């Protein structure tokens, strides 16, 4: 171990630590979460700043959602670095987003319509709070009660040492309809719209993007692969598919004008747009868009790695 033994519980996750024997003048330990081992290094005199302590739930949420920018090469954490991670984290802050995330999460625990859900059983409690970025049980119960007041779920009130809780949670028929509307509106959709060149030269890039989307748990939509009514124009189809998608990947390689239009429309809807472009063609991108952060890739393996990291960090 370092000069100072690891604390019983992690500075970030509050989970039990596994101390590491070493001769370094630091605090070193492992934390085991979701069958993964995270290696952390802190100064021997580390104490969380007030800001980090008050917003520790954000760091825990990033870890439980596999969005924490963990690096084996640079596992050293200071308050400055933790505060930067907190400030830059993309998390649900709006009340409706938190409400929608909760009912979607409850639905993910259900195998049959109408069955009871117990998110706080089988050691799921900590995972529930962390995955949904709730500060504490009080905030969780507030949103749970709001779902009930709106007729989207039912439950039996209960009490625990931590505070108010619920058992026998069930999603109502109205709740299932609400979930369907969320899917169709794109807010919690499983779809990703892909805007890119349809030329033969882009075939391998298309496959790399589609494979990455599928590997991250989403379904790609490319308008030339979709079937739609003959009386609907391709522009109408594009707008329809963008509306029903949760986010978009816009690849500007070959500088197709349609990609610019589709990315702009998605931004107008409030969708997240992930910009990509081959390194060899990036200098040709338009000045209206090239100031946005782009994934500039040297080859297809580079594209897949960077794109997967971006989707997991921004969307999942």
């Amino acid at each position: 171990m370092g000069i100072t033994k690891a604390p019983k519980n992690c500075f970030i996750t509050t989970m039990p630590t596994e101390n590491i024997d070493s001769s370094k003048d630091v605090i070193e330990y492992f934390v085991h979460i979701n069958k993964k081992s995270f290696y952390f290094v802190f100064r021997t005199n580390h104490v969380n700043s007030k800001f980090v302590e008050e917003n520790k739930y954000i760091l825990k949420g990033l870890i439980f959602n596999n969005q924490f920018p963990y690096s084996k090469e640079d596992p050293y954490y200071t308050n400055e670095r933790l505060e930067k991670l907190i400030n830059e984290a993309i998390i649900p802050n709006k009340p409706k987003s938190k409400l929608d995330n909760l009912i979607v999460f409850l639905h993910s625990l259900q195998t049959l319509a109408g069955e009871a859900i117990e998110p706080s059983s089988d050691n799921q409690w900590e995972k529930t709070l962390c995955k949904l970025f709730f500060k504490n049980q009080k905030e969780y119960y507030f949103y749970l009660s709001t779902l009930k007041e709106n007729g989207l779920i039912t439950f039996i009130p209960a009490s625990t040492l931590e505070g108010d809780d619920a058992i026998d949670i069930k999603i109502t028929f109205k709740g299932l309809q609400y979930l369907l509307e969320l899917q169709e509106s794109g807010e919690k959709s499983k779809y990703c719209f892909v805007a890119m060149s349809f030329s033969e030269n882009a075939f391998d890039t298309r496959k790399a993007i589609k494979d990455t989307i599928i590997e991250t748990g989403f379904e790609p939509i490319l308008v030339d692969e979709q079937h739609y009514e003959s009386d609907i124009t391709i522009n109408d189809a594009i707008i329809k598919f963008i509306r029903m998608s949760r986010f978009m990947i816009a690849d500007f390689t070959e500088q197709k004008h349609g990609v610019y239009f589709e990315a702009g429309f998605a931004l107008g809807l409030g969708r997240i747009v992930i910009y990509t472009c081959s390194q060899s063609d990036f200098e040709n991108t338009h000045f209206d868009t090239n100031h946005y952060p782009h994934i500039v890739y040297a080859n297809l393996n580079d594209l897949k790695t960077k794109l997967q990291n971006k989707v997991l960090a921004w969307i999942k």
Side-chain angles (χ1 to χ4, degrees):
M1 64 181 179
I3 298 298
T4 303
K5 186 177 180 180
K8 182 178 180 181
N9 298 104
C10 174
F11 291 115
I12 298 174
T13 67
T14 68
M15 303 290 284
T17 63
E18 179 186 332
N19 193 70
I20 297 175
D21 292 330
S22 111
S23 59
K24 299 177 183 177
D25 187 16
V26 292
I27 299 173
E28 291 181 89
Y29 58 79
F30 284 115
V31 174
H32 307 289
I33 300 174
N34 293 341
K35 298 181 180 179
K36 293 183 179 180
S37 294
F38 293 87
Y39 170 53
F40 294 104
V41 182
F42 293 88
R43 293 193 181 103
T44 56
N45 61 348
H46 180 82
V47 176
N48 284 343
S49 67
K50 181 180 179 183
F51 181 80
V52 170
E53 195 63 28
E54 290 176 350
N55 294 281
K56 192 162 53 178
Y57 73 97
I58 295 176
L59 299 173
K60 294 167 68 174
L62 293 175
I63 290 175
F64 274 80
N65 284 285
N66 295 315
Q67 296 175 356
F68 191 80
Y70 176 76
S71 170
K72 291 183 179 180
E73 291 72 33
D74 185 17
Y76 198 101
Y77 293 92
T78 63
N79 277 314
E80 291 75 19
R81 185 176 180 187
L82 295 176
E83 288 174 10
K84 186 173 187 292
L85 291 176
I86 291 168
N87 286 324
E88 294 180 352
I90 298 175
I91 66 170
N93 285 316
K94 295 180 180 179
K96 186 176 185 304
S97 295
K98 291 191 173 185
L99 195 75
D100 291 346
N101 283 347
L102 178 55
I103 191 170
V104 169
F105 177 75
L106 293 174
H107 186 250
S108 72
L109 301 178
Q110 189 180 64
T111 55
L112 294 171
E115 73 174 358
I117 306 163
E118 303 291 349
S120 57
S121 65
D122 299 326
N123 298 316
Q124 287 282 333
W125 179 244
E126 183 78 5
K127 183 178 179 181
T128 301
L129 289 181
C130 292
K131 282 187 70 69
L132 300 176
F133 293 98
F134 288 133
K135 288 186 177 181
N136 49 43
Q137 183 167 339
K138 185 176 181 180
E139 184 181 23
Y140 160 77
Y141 189 76
F142 166 77
Y143 283 102
L144 200 68
S145 298
T146 302
L147 289 175
K148 183 178 181 180
E149 289 167 6
N150 283 278
L152 303 180
I153 66 171
T154 62
F155 65 75
I156 299 173
S159 295
T160 68
L161 294 175
E162 288 78 19
D164 292 329
D165 200 352
I167 59 173
D168 197 34
I169 301 171
K170 296 179 181 178
I171 300 175
T172 64
F173 181 75
K174 182 179 179 181
L176 293 174
Q177 287 183 310
Y178 183 78
L179 284 161
L180 182 60
E181 290 169 5
L182 285 179
Q183 288 280 351
E184 292 180 344
S185 70
E187 290 185 57
K188 298 298 174 185
S189 170
K190 60 183 177 179
Y191 298 112
C192 168
F193 188 87
V194 180
M196 63 179 298
S197 169
F198 294 152
S199 73
E200 291 184 7
N201 294 333
F203 178 81
D204 290 338
T205 303
R206 170 193 289 243
K207 185 177 186 306
I209 292 174
K210 287 176 63 177
D211 288 348
T212 303
I213 292 170
I214 294 169
E215 288 166 8
T216 53
F218 293 96
E219 294 184 21
I221 294 181
L222 290 94
V223 71
D224 65 327
E225 297 180 0
Q226 304 302 312
H227 299 286
Y228 47 90
E229 300 298 328
S230 58
D231 59 339
I232 297 178
T233 67
I234 187 170
N235 285 338
D236 288 338
I238 288 170
I239 289 172
K240 170 189 172 183
F241 293 133
I242 292 175
R243 285 186 183 278
M244 64 185 286
S245 296
R246 186 168 175 182
F247 67 106
M248 172 191 282
I249 294 171
D251 186 80
F252 291 93
T253 307
E254 297 187 15
Q255 309 304 312
K256 298 298 182 180
H257 293 169
V259 178
Y260 286 92
F261 166 77
E262 291 154 24
F265 182 75
L267 281 177
L269 290 177
R271 301 290 187 269
I272 292 176
V273 178
I274 298 176
Y275 301 84
T276 66
C277 188
S278 67
Q279 195 173 67
S280 61
D281 202 24
F282 184 66
E283 64 179 15
N284 297 318
T285 54
H286 197 273
F287 71 90
D288 283 343
T289 60
N290 61 20
H291 61 283
Y292 286 103
H294 279 65
I295 291 176
V296 180
Y297 53 92
N299 53 56
L300 296 183
N301 286 334
D302 188 33
L303 169 62
K304 292 190 69 173
T305 299
K306 291 178 178 177
L307 186 56
Q308 184 177 71
N309 290 339
K310 181 71 78 172
V311 172
L312 292 176
W314 281 29
I315 313 298
K316 293 293 281 185

